[in-house]
Amino acid sequence: MAYAFDPKDDVETQWQKWSAENPVDDMPVIDEQELKETVIKDLTYVSQMDVKEYTLYQKWCEVQDRYPAIEVNDLWEGTKLVIENEDQRRAIEKIKANFWNPTDIEDYLKLEPVLEYANKQDDLPELWNCIRTFSSTMKNNSNIGRNLNFIVRDKPTQKFLGVICISSDFLDLTPRDKYIGWSRELKTQGGMINHTAIGSTIVPLQPLGFNYVGGKLLALLCLSTPIQELWEKLYGDKLVSVTTTSLYGKTKAGGLSQYDNLDYWQSMGFTAGSVSFEPEKETRYKIRQWLMKNHTKKYFEWYVAKKPSGQPHKRDHKNRSLQFVYSKLGIPKELIRTDHARGIYWCPLYDKTVEFLRGEDSTGMKKNFDTSVEALTEIWKTKHAKPRIKQLIKKERVSKETLFYDDLITMTWEETKSKYLPQVGR
């Protein structure tokens, strides 16, 4: 009988059951030298790219993988490529027919954003993924742990404004942790990390994003009452702060992100992180096979073992496993990663957030500001959208572009780079 996860089993019991069903002798053999040469070839190609080009390349690879196209013969147009999956095709058509696109320059003043929880309702998960994939040049990676996905619409028109994902917060962010005065033990064993979250996806549709700084609207909505209430309802933990990081940090032209000068979000410096380059999908599959055959227990811990909740036993298992394999294969370090600091932004929702997170007396804790959707939207309209659109009108730079990247489905990499590289990060 094939191995089946039982939430009552501890990790060692899971290992005993899984290994009994998956003897090493039955696992495929991957030639180590051939694998090393393939990994080096893949990483040599991508490591020559700067951060923006690599970001776009990952997006192109993602679209090619998730949205496969097939050739069909059309009586009038001849042979053409179309999306193979009908649900995906319908989702794209629905979204493109329902962009919020103003007919008057001041239509933004009529907007009434609402947040739709998109994890399990009807076609909302497919719509969320579609908007997230084709509205941002950042790869649509699912996060380990808690995830609340929201589609943001305009209530009167039901037009799409963008998407948000609120996820389990980063365990270690040195500038933030130093500011709070957090010990790792308090965060983990004390469970205080569960009272914070990260805005892992904050993506407006265009032209809302460019013309009206719609990213600022969505960033403010990450702090809203509906999100706080759903977090506590689903997970049982009071949400007292929210973190996010900028896409490009110090590398972005002008040095500013959408979170700079945004109400309630405090700049906390920069990450000490980097961008890890990845080999091609087929190579990653061979890496996993090699790891399973040659370091079976490690493979099990990263890709099979689960917590009682059903979540993976190890955090960030994909990157951990890749770094382990790179080390074992002797991959040159200069091919593996590039330095890339991101800006860190943090919002304490309560006046005693720091005391609460340190486990100190937080009696009488009060909210720092009005977190209603209406109040946050009004701040965006008056302090951010209004001056932005006035500036663009004056400079004759108002955009009508939707920048929906579904055409990547049928484009080559060279075509993609030529058309969209200047747009990365917008």
Side-chain angles (χ1 to χ4, degrees):
M1 184 175 69
Y3 169 77
F5 167 68
D6 186 335
K8 297 190 295 294
D9 292 341
D10 59 22
V11 173
E12 185 58 31
T13 303
Q14 292 178 48
W15 162 246
Q16 295 298 331
K17 290 182 177 180
W18 181 84
S19 58
E21 295 293 335
N22 295 273
V24 174
D25 290 344
D26 292 348
M27 296 176 184
V29 176
I30 301 296
D31 183 272
E32 185 170 309
Q33 184 58 35
E34 185 178 313
L35 177 62
K36 179 177 179 179
E37 292 172 359
T38 303
V39 171
I40 289 176
K41 179 183 176 182
D42 287 359
L43 295 182
T44 297
Y45 178 68
V46 295
S47 64
Q48 294 172 351
M49 302 176 181
D50 63 20
V51 171
K52 290 191 175 184
E53 184 177 351
Y54 181 58
T55 298
L56 183 61
Y57 180 70
Q58 284 192 303
K59 170 59 60 176
W60 178 78
C61 291
E62 173 194 12
V63 170
Q64 296 288 309
D65 179 44
R66 293 189 179 185
Y67 292 81
I70 56 174
E71 285 189 352
V72 298
N73 290 313
D74 185 273
L75 181 62
W76 307 107
E77 299 181 30
T79 302
K80 64 178 182 178
L81 288 171
V82 299
I83 300 172
E84 183 176 10
N85 185 290
E86 188 174 342
D87 289 339
Q88 292 177 336
R89 187 164 62 249
R90 282 199 298 263
I92 291 174
E93 291 170 353
K94 183 173 183 177
I95 292 162
K96 293 177 74 172
N98 288 283
F99 275 72
W100 181 80
N101 209 341
T103 55
D104 183 270
I105 210 71
E106 293 195 345
D107 279 353
Y108 75 97
L109 294 170
K110 304 174 186 176
L111 284 177
E112 297 178 30
V114 290
L115 284 78
E116 292 182 306
Y117 180 49
N119 283 44
K120 295 180 179 180
Q121 299 178 28
D122 302 323
D123 63 344
L124 294 185
E126 184 66 57
L127 290 173
W128 189 95
N129 272 302
C130 187
I131 295 172
R132 172 62 181 84
T133 299
F134 295 116
S135 297
S136 170
T137 47
M138 286 298 294
K139 188 176 180 181
N140 181 11
N141 282 325
S142 57
N143 302 288
I144 301 299
R146 302 173 175 182
N147 289 288
L148 302 180
N149 294 336
F150 295 92
I151 293 174
V152 185
R153 297 197 205 219
D154 174 41
K155 185 178 180 179
T157 65
Q158 286 298 294
K159 300 294 186 181
F160 296 109
L161 304 177
V163 289
I164 291 170
C165 180
I166 305 296
S167 307
S168 298
D169 208 345
F170 288 139
L171 190 57
D172 295 304
L173 281 175
T174 301
R176 177 203 63 189
D177 297 348
K178 185 177 180 181
Y179 178 86
I180 295 172
W182 243 358
S183 68
R184 205 170 202 280
E185 182 180 21
L186 187 60
K187 282 188 291 183
T188 55
Q189 297 179 21
M192 301 311 290
I193 193 67
N194 295 326
H195 295 280
T196 74
I198 188 163
S200 57
T201 291
I202 303 175
V203 176
L205 283 164
Q206 300 295 350
L208 174 70
F210 181 78
N211 289 344
Y212 301 97
V213 284
K216 290 183 181 289
L217 169 63
L218 298 191
L220 287 169
L221 294 179
C222 287
L223 315 176
S224 64
T225 300
I227 286 176
Q228 295 174 46
E229 290 178 344
L230 188 59
W231 184 272
E232 187 164 359
K233 177 183 177 181
L234 294 182
Y235 305 126
D237 296 310
K238 188 178 189 65
L239 187 64
V240 301
S241 71
V242 184
T243 307
T244 196
T245 58
S246 62
L247 295 182
Y248 301 106
K250 297 177 182 177
T251 66
K252 183 174 181 179
L256 293 176
S257 85
Q258 66 183 12
Y259 311 110
D260 287 310
N261 304 317
L262 181 59
D263 305 73
Y264 313 130
W265 286 99
Q266 302 177 15
S267 175
M268 306 297 289
F270 295 89
T271 67
S274 57
V275 172
S276 297
F277 295 117
E278 291 185 0
E280 299 292 336
K281 180 182 178 182
E282 184 178 344
T283 307
R284 295 198 304 272
Y285 176 70
K286 290 180 179 178
I287 285 174
R288 284 184 60 172
Q289 289 184 308
W290 180 88
L291 182 65
M292 182 168 61
K293 178 77 171 181
N294 296 278
H295 299 275
T296 310
K297 187 71 176 285
K298 286 285 188 183
Y299 172 87
F300 165 80
E301 290 175 349
W302 281 319
Y303 288 99
V304 181
K306 292 181 172 59
K307 298 176 182 178
S309 63
Q311 295 177 341
H313 174 61
K314 294 286 188 180
R315 293 172 64 99
D316 198 23
H317 64 284
K318 184 179 72 173
N319 285 329
R320 284 185 175 189
S321 62
L322 282 177
Q323 299 310 313
F324 176 82
V325 172
Y326 292 161
S327 174
K328 293 298 181 182
L329 294 179
I331 305 300
K333 291 184 179 180
E334 62 269 19
L335 300 180
I336 296 173
R337 61 179 63 239
T338 181
D339 292 335
H340 176 54
R342 297 174 184 266
I344 302 170
Y345 300 85
W346 185 66
C347 174
L349 296 171
Y350 292 85
D351 58 348
K352 294 183 179 179
T353 288
V354 169
E355 290 84 351
F356 181 94
L357 292 173
R358 289 202 300 242
E360 299 173 358
D361 182 16
S362 56
T363 304
M365 188 165 65
K366 298 178 181 178
K367 282 192 177 181
N368 277 330
F369 52 91
D370 186 344
T371 60
S372 67
V373 169
E374 294 76 14
L376 295 170
T377 301
E378 188 60 28
I379 288 173
W380 165 73
K381 288 178 180 178
T382 57
K383 295 186 66 174
H384 303 292
K386 183 177 181 179
R388 171 64 171 180
I389 193 62
K390 279 189 173 182
Q391 180 188 55
L392 292 179
I393 292 171
K394 183 177 180 180
K395 295 181 178 181
E396 297 183 346
R397 291 184 59 216
V398 176
S399 174
K400 295 183 179 180
E401 297 180 43
T402 58
L403 290 180
F404 200 67
Y405 300 104
D406 60 309
D407 55 351
L408 268 61
I409 294 169
T410 58
M411 292 172 68
T412 66
W413 165 235
E414 289 303 320
E415 290 170 339
T416 299
K417 184 166 61 171
S418 175
K419 181 175 181 178
Y420 284 119
L421 190 56
Q423 308 290 352
V424 175
R426 273 190 54 178

